[in-house]
């Protein structure tokens, strides 16, 4: 974890399903919940990375489940969520973390974001709902983005779909409150990790990398573990009176517009 921070959370009775959990933020969220003692299931499309993270989760000694899943495919989501619930013995927390990274302003760009960033979250939530209703500490955490809050010259599809996800968070929270299911989102700023978007831009587009870095008041890119810390908090009893919120974790980046 970042700076070897000890986790303040112990969640040994939690069963956590992470849709999109093999790399970067998703991987860090999976490992953080495993370190906190939770049973963890992850899915992703890439089998090699999925196998690696499953091995890392298992090293913490808890129940582990991993399954390949194309989160743009409704039938695959249905199979995965039900298999995860069976493997873990139920679901207490659903984390919707996948992104289609739809940046191009054409139909492919828009549909990539719509199908993965938004509809995968809708569909996974729908499939998980019967299990969440049986949980004494149920919650859903979506991964949005600070891009949802500001206009963009480039990447409009990504920003618009993330804005829709943040709005869906509020409506879903209201609809599920009577079932005592909390729903929140995290809006990360620019996060850097090995072979991630900003790591590649550092090599391929150094001017863009430097310009973005200059807009972050804390003077550095974020680490995926810092998003994982927020996910742990939002899913934990310490956030038991928090629902319908999107929490920015960005080192002040959004303050610069």
């Amino acid at each position: 974890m970042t700076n070897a921070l000890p986790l303040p959370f112990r969640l040994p009775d939690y069963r956590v399903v992470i849709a999109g959990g093999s790399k970067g933020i998703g991987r860090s969220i999976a490992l953080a919940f495993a370190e906190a003692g939770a049973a963890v299931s992850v899915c992703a499309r890439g089998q090699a990375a999925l196998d690696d993270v499953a091995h890392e989760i298992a090293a913490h000694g808890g129940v582990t489940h991993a399954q390949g899943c194309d989160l743009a495919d409704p039938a695959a989501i249905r199979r995965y969520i039900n298999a995860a619930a069976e493997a873990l013995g139920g679901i207490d927390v659903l984390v919707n973390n996948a992104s289609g990274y739809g940046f191009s302003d054409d139909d492919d760009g828009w549909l990539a974001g719509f199908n993965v960033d938004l509809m995968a979250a809708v569909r996974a939530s729908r499939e998980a709902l019967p299990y969440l209703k049986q949980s004494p500490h149920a919650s859903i955490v979506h991964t949005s983005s600070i891009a949802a809050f500001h206009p963009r010259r480039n990447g409009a599809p990504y920003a618009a779909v993330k804005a829709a996800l943040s709005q869906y968070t509020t409506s879903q929270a209201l609809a599920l409150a009577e079932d005592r299911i909390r729903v929140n989102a995290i809006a990360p700023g620019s996060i850097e990790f090995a072979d991630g978007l900003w790591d590649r831009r550092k090599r391929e587009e150094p001017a863009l990398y430097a310009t973005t870095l200059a807009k972050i008041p804390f003077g550095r890119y974020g680490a995926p573990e810092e998003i994982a810390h927020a996910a742990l908090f939002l899913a934990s009893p310490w956030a038991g009176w928090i629902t319908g919120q999107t929490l920015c974790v960005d080192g002040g980046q959004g303050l610069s517009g």
Side-chain angles (χ1 to χ4, degrees):
M1 306 300 289
T2 299
N3 299 324
L5 289 175
L7 289 180
F9 304 104
R10 293 300 302 164
L11 305 171
D13 299 325
Y14 278 56
R15 298 153 301 179
V16 182
V17 173
I18 301 166
S22 65
K23 299 179 181 179
I25 290 172
R27 172 184 170 274
S28 289
I29 291 174
L31 294 178
F33 275 107
E35 187 177 345
V40 176
S41 173
V42 295
C43 78
R45 287 189 301 174
Q47 192 61 48
L50 189 60
D51 290 343
D52 288 344
V53 75
H55 180 74
E56 291 179 281
I57 294 168
H60 291 283
V63 177
T64 305
H65 172 257
Q67 182 170 315
C69 180
D70 179 356
L71 289 165
D73 180 349
I77 292 172
R78 185 178 307 112
R79 289 193 297 270
Y80 168 63
I81 294 295
N82 287 285
E86 181 176 357
L88 303 185
I91 299 174
D92 300 296
V93 180
L94 172 65
V95 179
N96 290 306
N97 179 67
S99 177
Y101 294 105
F103 291 111
S104 59
D105 193 11
D106 53 23
D107 283 6
D108 287 344
W110 282 96
L111 289 173
F114 180 77
N115 286 327
V116 179
D117 297 63
L118 181 59
M119 289 309 299
V122 172
R123 290 162 177 155
S125 297
R126 186 184 299 141
E127 294 299 327
L129 189 56
Y131 304 105
L132 291 169
K133 286 183 176 180
Q134 299 175 38
S135 168
H137 32 239
S139 71
I140 299 171
V141 179
H142 301 300
T143 300
S144 182
S145 169
I146 61 169
F149 305 117
H150 305 284
R152 296 170 61 100
R153 289 185 180 276
N154 300 303
Y158 178 79
V161 170
K162 289 300 190 183
L165 183 61
S166 289
Q167 203 288 328
Y168 176 59
T169 297
T170 62
S171 297
Q172 190 182 32
L174 181 60
L176 297 182
E178 62 185 27
D179 295 310
R180 299 299 183 264
I181 299 172
R182 298 184 301 105
V183 186
N184 292 290
I186 301 170
S190 296
I191 306 298
E192 185 175 4
F193 55 90
D195 203 34
L197 176 67
W198 287 106
D199 184 48
R200 293 194 300 272
R201 284 179 172 169
K202 185 177 184 179
R203 301 189 304 268
E204 299 166 6
E205 301 177 79
L208 175 60
Y209 180 93
T211 299
T212 301
L213 178 60
K215 295 179 180 179
I216 304 174
F218 265 49
R220 64 172 176 83
Y221 282 83
E225 292 86 356
E226 291 168 312
I227 309 306
H229 294 159
L232 279 175
F233 167 67
L234 288 173
S236 77
W238 285 267
W241 199 232
I242 300 175
T243 194
Q245 305 302 308
T246 295
L247 174 64
C248 291
V249 183
D250 67 351
Q253 185 176 357
L255 302 175
S256 300

